[in-house]
Amino acid sequence: MAACVDKPKEVNEMIKVMNDPGYDELQEENTWLRGSLREARRGQESAERMALMCMMLFAASGTLLALTWGGIIVV
């Protein structure tokens, strides 16, 4: 039994899209995304710095509290 197979369309045939962005629009979008990424990285660095400062503050406070409760530091 022979199967009926449709021939595929031309491989190099281009499909036209109605809302296909142009080069300038892509450049603008790329610039905007690059700026957003830079801003997100700055925010991440700021959050990491703040977390490090809080960790150091809690470590120093905990140490002083433990030394005070242990009677090594007398108030």
Side-chain angles (χ1 to χ4, degrees):
M1 294 194 335
C4 224
V5 179
D6 291 333
K7 288 187 176 182
K9 290 188 175 183
E10 179 72 28
V11 175
N12 295 329
E13 182 178 328
M14 289 187 66
I15 300 172
K16 187 70 174 168
V17 178
M18 296 303 291
N19 294 332
D20 193 18
Y23 181 78
D24 293 333
E25 293 172 3
L26 291 175
Q27 281 292 99
E28 288 174 13
E29 186 72 17
N30 188 26
T31 302
W32 183 83
L33 288 172
R34 195 178 309 134
S36 294
L37 179 62
R38 200 173 299 130
E39 185 178 340
R41 284 183 180 156
R42 278 194 212 117
Q44 178 69 26
E45 290 170 359
S46 176
E48 288 173 359
R49 248 184 275 121
M50 182 62 82
L52 181 62
M53 287 191 303
C54 287
M55 185 177 62
M56 296 302 294
L57 176 66
F58 292 148
S61 299
T63 302
L64 289 174
L65 188 60
L67 292 174
T68 302
W69 283 350
I72 297 174
I73 297 177
V74 180
V75 179

